[in-house]
């Protein structure tokens, strides 16, 4: 907790919008939580956004070494969903992802699932999203072997909302425009404008996803892990 009586020079106030998401949460958050059941992560987001840059988070003082002037700021929550912190967290995340990029051209492939699966996904997020990742990765890798005779590289990111903020789980995949030959001696590049035949790709994905859904046994207790073939680094944005 901060307890300093010097006036705070708040540079943010110049650009501050009239209402912040935190204000809306403060006014209607309790009512919303009573009416809709939030997951643990969702209520954590709400708490973080509410407490971001308030006394609850504690603060720090920056002193100017020229004039000795003090600037007091409250600490940020650093939750990626927070409108105040999100852009910084995002920029840092992007920087880290750049290290994984190979000096080749990439394709952007998006996998979506039928909205009939939404209720199932909503209460079994771990299992269904795992399956989404696996079906997409297996499909792409199988096509890499079939059409390029080697291993492709994939980076996949799950979005659970569409652009209009409606529920719309989809996977953005960055796929290398080429594959490493099985003997690991050669890079087999694709042409810049063609990766795989899209209809065959989506048919294969649909088949894998639907077969997977049929086979899924959902854990009885929440939090229990479903066994999967791959381990994905669960860094999220
Ligand atoms: Zn100064
Ligand atoms: Zn924040
Ligand atoms: Zn998206």
């Amino acid at each position: 907790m901060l307890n300093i009586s010097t006036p705070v020079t708040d540079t943010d106030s110049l650009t501050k919008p009239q209402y912040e998401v935190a204000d809306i949460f403060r006014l209607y958050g309790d009512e919303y939580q009573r009416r809709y059941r939030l997951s643990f992560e969702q209520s954590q987001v709400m708490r973080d956004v509410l407490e971001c840059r308030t006394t609850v988070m504690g603060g720090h003082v920056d002193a100017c070494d020229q004039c000795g002037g003090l600037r007091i700021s409250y600490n940020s929550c650093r939750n990626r969903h927070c409108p105040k912190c999100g852009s910084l967290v995002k920029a840092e995340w992007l920087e880290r992802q750049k290290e994984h990029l190979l000096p080749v051209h990439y394709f952007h492939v998006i996998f979506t699932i039928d909205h009939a699966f939404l209720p199932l996904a909503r209460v079994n997020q771990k299992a269904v999203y795992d399956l989404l990742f696996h079906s997409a990765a297996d499909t792409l890798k199988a096509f890499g072997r079939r059409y390029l005779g080697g291993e492709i590289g994939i980076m996949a990111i799950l979005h659970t909302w569409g652009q209009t903020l409606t529920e719309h789980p989809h996977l953005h995949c960055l796929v290398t425009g080429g594959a490493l030959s099985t003997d690991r001696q050669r890079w087999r590049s694709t042409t810049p404008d063609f990766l795989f035949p899209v209809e065959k790709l989506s048919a294969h994905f649909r088949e894998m996803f639907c077969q997977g859904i049929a086979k899924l046994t959902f854990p009885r207790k929440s939090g229990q892990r479903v066994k999967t073939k791959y381990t994905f680094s669960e860094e999220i944005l």
Side-chain angles (χ1 to χ4, degrees), residues 49-80:
V49 170
L50 273 169
E51 293 175 354
C52 185
R53 300 190 197 172
T54 67
T55 50
V56 184
M57 302 294 290
H60 56 273
V61 181
D62 300 313
C64 174
D65 53 9
Q66 304 294 314
C67 69
L70 294 179
R71 206 179 77 134
I72 302 158
S73 338
Y74 294 126
N75 294 336
S76 310
C77 71
R78 296 191 58 80
N79 190 307
R80 68 199 172 89

Side-chain angles (χ1 to χ4, degrees), residues 143-172:
F143 274 60
R145 284 187 286 265
R146 191 188 306 169
Y147 288 91
L148 300 166
E151 289 298 321
I152 53 162
I154 312 163
M155 205 188 275
I157 289 140
L158 174 70
H159 275 175
T160 50
W161 289 357
Q163 282 173 342
T164 50
L165 296 188
T166 49
E167 203 177 8
H168 176 59
H170 57 284
L171 209 60
H172 289 269

